[in-house]
Amino acid sequence: MGRAKLPRKSTNIDMTAMCDVAFLLLSFFILTTKFKPAEAVEVNIPSSVAAKVAPEKDIVLVSIDKDGKVFLSIDDEGQKEIIANAINTTKNLNLNVTAFKQAKFFGSSFAQLPQYLAIPEDNRKANALGGIPAKDSTNNEMIEWMRYVQQAYLGKKMNLLLKGDNVAKYPAFKNVIDAFKKNDFLKFQMVTSPTSVPVGTDLWKNNQKGLTREEE
Amino acid sequence: MAEMDTSSQGGHKKGPGVKKSKKLSTRVDLTPMVDLGFLLITFFIFTTTMSQPTAMKLNLPKDTDNPEEQNKAKESGTLTLLLGSNNNVFYYEGVLAPDASNFKSSSFKEIREVITNKKSWVIQNMKESDFVVVIKPSDGCTYKNVVDILDEMSINVVKKYAMVDISDVEAKLVAITEGNPAK
């Protein structure tokens, strides 16, 4: 007796649903990805156990690159305009305020600033610049920069960030914090990449107990 | 396999004289499209920056020239860390002896033990608030060293620490110990 012939099942799979899922995920990742903004100044940051996420708004960022050169960047264009005007009135440099507003970072002495702003935006390279002079006490322009910043942000909220390179030497760092201190910026934050707390240490024990860290 | 059936049933009628052409299948093979989709997904997953940079807070004391306003630390509760070049750390407890007999060398791996030992000793013999760590970075150390040592303070929950300029004697001592006394 012959068996009843089973109807042959098709091995076709409808890919449409899978395709839908794939593209849904794709659009999710595209929309959530925030590309790292092209770093004007290349800095390899050290790691720390600090858990607080670095602020992204109202920042005044001072970067120290691996050679100890100091750069300043400000995200708020309105404040940059105030600073540009302040520099123009006090230093008679005739800076191009629009170019100053668009500049992502500053890393030259005041005398070279008009020349730097004349360079087209895309061609501005941090390593071609000498950095803001901060070394000697006689011609410490970092202090002046911080004074302009302080005047521009008077009474407004700002986050002072310091981003130093791993191999930058301590004197460069010290010069910058001295410039901060001179202008009464006594609170600042250092940008670091997060690492986990080593097991067995006091901080780790506190975290296990659920104690919150004193970050202030 | 893996198609989308988009062939419509029954198209428009051809005229009487027109030869009925063979109907082409309009099925589209979606497999390459899925491949491409997942390829892009992998790309975006890998390029997404997962870890946002964190910020470490540091409050500076105001510089005072008046020595009476400066904070005094108790001698026996103090631990002074000197950061040398090439990731060397030196330390001494209390006040540096004139003959530098209590000047010891360490490294970033071992310094945690030094700090915890001193801390527990101070807690046993004195109050915890008497424990002060003085950090003296020399000119040869790097920014990473400074951040690491400040991080060590928060890892070991050191409540009082200060960053102080290195003195000439100490700088010389560090340079000699590191083997370049010419500096």
Side-chain angles (χ1 to χ4, degrees), chain B residues 94-106:
Chain B
V95 176
L96 186 63
D99 57 348
S101 54
N102 58 353
F103 185 81
K104 293 169 197 136
S105 81
S106 177

Side-chain angles (χ1 to χ4, degrees), chain A residues 33-165:
Chain A
T33 301
K34 231 192 303 168
F35 274 103
K36 255 201 230 160
E39 296 282 312
V41 189
E42 203 182 307
V43 172
N44 296 320
I45 53 173
S47 52
S48 81
V49 295
K52 220 175 125 277
V53 174
E56 286 176 351
K57 268 188 175 173
D58 305 320
I59 53 167
V60 174
L61 175 73
V62 177
S63 317
I64 305 170
D65 80 349
K66 59 183 193 310
D67 304 318
K69 289 191 281 194
V70 182
F71 300 90
L72 177 77
S73 46
I74 299 163
D75 68 337
D76 191 333
E77 293 205 346
Q79 302 299 337
K80 277 200 264 189
E81 191 176 347
I82 299 172
I83 293 169
N85 288 327
I87 294 174
N88 274 342
T89 46
T90 49
K91 298 239 167 209
N92 280 327
L93 285 171
N94 284 324
L95 296 178
N96 182 346
V97 177
T98 344
F100 191 95
K101 266 167 75 179
Q102 279 159 3
K104 291 208 175 64
F105 62 96
F106 308 102
S108 62
S109 58
F110 283 116
Q112 287 164 336
L113 207 53
Q115 197 189 331
Y116 163 70
L117 291 174
I119 307 171
E121 179 69 50
D122 299 334
N123 296 345
R124 285 175 190 157
K125 292 272 164 8
N127 36 8
L129 294 166
I132 297 169
K135 284 196 186 82
D136 38 334
S137 47
T138 48
N139 182 32
N140 197 328
E141 292 188 359
M142 193 61 212
I143 297 176
E144 289 178 51
W145 273 107
M146 292 322 292
R147 194 184 311 136
Y148 288 125
V149 169
Q150 194 202 26
Q151 281 160 5
Y153 277 91
L154 207 63
K156 292 184 197 109
K157 192 180 164 343
M158 85 169 230
N159 296 304
L160 186 58
L161 294 180
L162 180 70
K163 193 171 170 184
D165 194 279

Side-chain angles (χ1 to χ4, degrees), chain A residues 4-10:
Chain A
K5 214 178 183 181
L6 281 168
R8 232 225 223 138
K9 277 260 170 75
S10 153

Side-chain angles (χ1 to χ4, degrees), chain B:
Chain B
M1 182 187 170
E3 294 112 335
M4 191 161 66
D5 188 4
T6 51
S7 60
S8 51
Q9 296 298 311
H12 47 269
K13 284 272 173 352
K14 296 268 161 40
V18 180
K19 201 181 167 192
K20 206 178 179 186
S21 61
K22 206 181 169 196
K23 207 199 257 167
L24 277 172
S25 161
T26 46
R27 289 173 167 220
V28 185
D29 186 4
L30 282 186
T31 324
M33 191 165 166
V34 174
D35 289 351
L36 181 76
F38 276 100
L39 185 81
L40 288 171
I41 287 176
T42 4
F43 170 74
F44 275 99
I45 288 177
F46 281 118
T47 52
T48 305
T49 39
M50 276 297 169
S51 57
Q52 277 181 306
T54 51
M56 201 170 148
K57 261 210 174 124
L58 185 65
N59 294 347
L60 302 170
K62 189 150 177 55
D63 276 342
T64 47
D65 296 328
N66 189 352
E68 278 165 34
E69 284 174 29
Q70 287 174 0
N71 290 321
K72 292 274 188 296
K74 274 187 191 165
E75 197 182 293
S76 48
T78 344
L79 176 69
T80 307
L81 306 172
L82 301 145
L83 310 179
S85 46
N86 301 326
N87 302 328
N88 291 320
V89 187
F90 304 93
Y91 68 94
Y92 61 83
E93 293 170 30
V95 176
L96 186 63
D99 57 348
S101 54
N102 58 353
F103 185 81
K104 293 169 197 136
S105 81
S106 177
S107 71
F108 272 94
K109 278 185 191 127
E110 295 155 20
I111 199 70
R112 184 171 303 154
E113 208 177 313
V114 176
I115 297 168
T116 40
N117 285 349
K118 179 76 181 171
K119 189 183 173 188
S120 49
W121 183 86
V122 172
I123 291 171
Q124 270 172 21
N125 295 286
M126 302 156 84
K127 298 196 302 288
E128 194 189 342
S129 58
D130 286 331
F131 182 49
V132 180
V133 176
V134 181
I135 303 163
K136 296 189 177 180
S138 76
D139 285 359
C141 77
T142 62
Y143 176 71
K144 182 184 167 37
N145 295 153
V146 179
V147 172
D148 278 353
I149 210 79
L150 291 174
D151 205 31
E152 209 64 46
M153 295 301 112
S154 61
I155 287 173
N156 295 307
V157 200
V158 178
K159 299 232 168 69
K160 279 189 187 169
Y161 55 90
M163 222 156 78
V164 181
D165 288 340
I166 196 160
S167 71
D168 286 346
V169 181
E170 288 159 339
K172 238 176 232 164
L173 209 51
V174 169
I176 289 166
T177 324
E178 283 175 344
N180 45 347
K183 235 172 147 183

Side-chain angles (χ1 to χ4, degrees), chain A residues 24-37:
Chain A
L24 183 80
L25 285 171
L26 183 60
S27 33
F28 170 75
F29 276 103
I30 289 177
L31 292 178
T32 51
T33 301
K34 231 192 303 168
F35 274 103
K36 255 201 230 160

